Every structure is written in C-alpha cells, then in structure tokens.
Amino acid sequence: MTRRRLDRRDDRGVVATYVALLAGPLLLVTGLVVDGGGKISTYIEASNLASGAARAGAQAVDQDALYQTGEVVLLEDEAEERATGYLLAAGGVEDFSVDVNAAGDTVTVSVTLVHDPKMLPTGAQAITAEASATALRGVEVGG
C-alpha cells in the first residue's frame, strides 16, 4: 500500500469554491439587467401608447366647421372616444385616463402599465411605468 503524500499546492476543488461564491452575485446582476430592461421597455411602451392615443384623439376635428369657416374645432366626445379606442385596440392597457380640453384644443392621455419582475425577488410587488402625452389639434395648410 502506497501512501499518498499531501501537497500543499494541491488546487483541486478551488474552481468549485469560486463558482459557489460567485453564483449568487452573478444571478443578482443578471436579475438587475433583465428586470431593469423590462422596466425601461414597459416605460417606453407606455410612452408610445400615450402619444399614439393623444394623436388619435387630436384628429377628431369638426370637418363641417373646418370647411365652412376654416377654423379648426376639436370635438370633445369624439376625441375621447378615439383616444380610448386606440388604447383598447392596443390591448393590455387597463389603467389610463383621457382629458380633452376643447378650449385649449388639446388631448392629454396618461397611461400606467405594470411589469412583473422575472428574476428579482421582490415578492408580490410589481413595477409600474407611467407616461403622459399631450397632442394639440391642428390642420397644417401647405403653401
């Protein structure tokens, strides 16, 4: 029977130790990247939806008044209906508000979207992204 001599420079198992020590922090950083990117993506989506809905609402112009007098008049009910229809057609938007100001000829839309974290252990706490956009009615006249 041969005895094996213990060598102090034996490095077996060192890689396993490094992997065990770095796995947690690497997963945390990955979670920050994935869920941080999801938050940014959700905010951009909310901003795009709010802008599109505001533009859709601002297109509700009284065409009879435009053709007869040349004045651009925003139709409040139709503007709100168009903006709401835009958001409902987009799908997944449950929390929004549409404010039509016929006197100022503006349509303001606020949208709130929710992003559920995929990797970070935040419990039941969802991440919300809010965006608001205002569109001014108008008709450009070419010259």
Side-chain angles (χ1 to χ4, degrees):
M1 175 153 98
T2 60
R3 292 182 83 190
R4 196 169 145 207
R5 184 174 162 209
L6 293 176
D7 189 3
R8 290 182 185 232
R9 291 181 279 160
D10 187 12
D11 61 357
R12 285 183 285 174
V14 173
V15 172
T17 305
Y18 283 133
V19 169
L21 289 175
L22 294 177
L26 287 175
L27 283 174
L28 182 65
V29 169
T30 303
L32 287 172
V33 169
V34 169
D35 288 334
K39 161 78 173 174
I40 292 170
S41 175
T42 303
Y43 176 75
I44 290 171
E45 182 181 359
S47 178
N48 289 341
L49 287 170
S51 298
R55 281 191 301 271
Q59 292 176 358
V61 175
D62 185 354
Q63 293 183 3
D64 293 334
L66 179 64
Y67 291 135
Q68 291 173 0
T69 65
E71 187 174 335
V72 180
V73 177
L74 186 64
L75 299 171
E76 282 190 63
D77 292 338
E78 187 178 339
E80 186 172 347
E81 185 179 306
R82 283 181 178 220
T84 301
Y86 182 93
L87 293 172
L88 293 176
V93 183
E94 296 174 7
D95 188 11
F96 63 88
S97 67
V98 177
D99 179 35
V100 179
N101 182 355
D105 293 331
T106 60
V107 178
T108 302
V109 178
S110 298
V111 175
T112 302
L113 296 178
V114 177
H115 170 72
D116 294 321
K118 305 293 186 249
M119 295 188 71
L120 292 180
T122 59
Q125 183 180 5
I127 300 170
T128 59
E130 299 176 9
S132 181
T134 300
L136 176 66
R137 68 83 189 122
V139 174
E140 289 189 24
V141 179

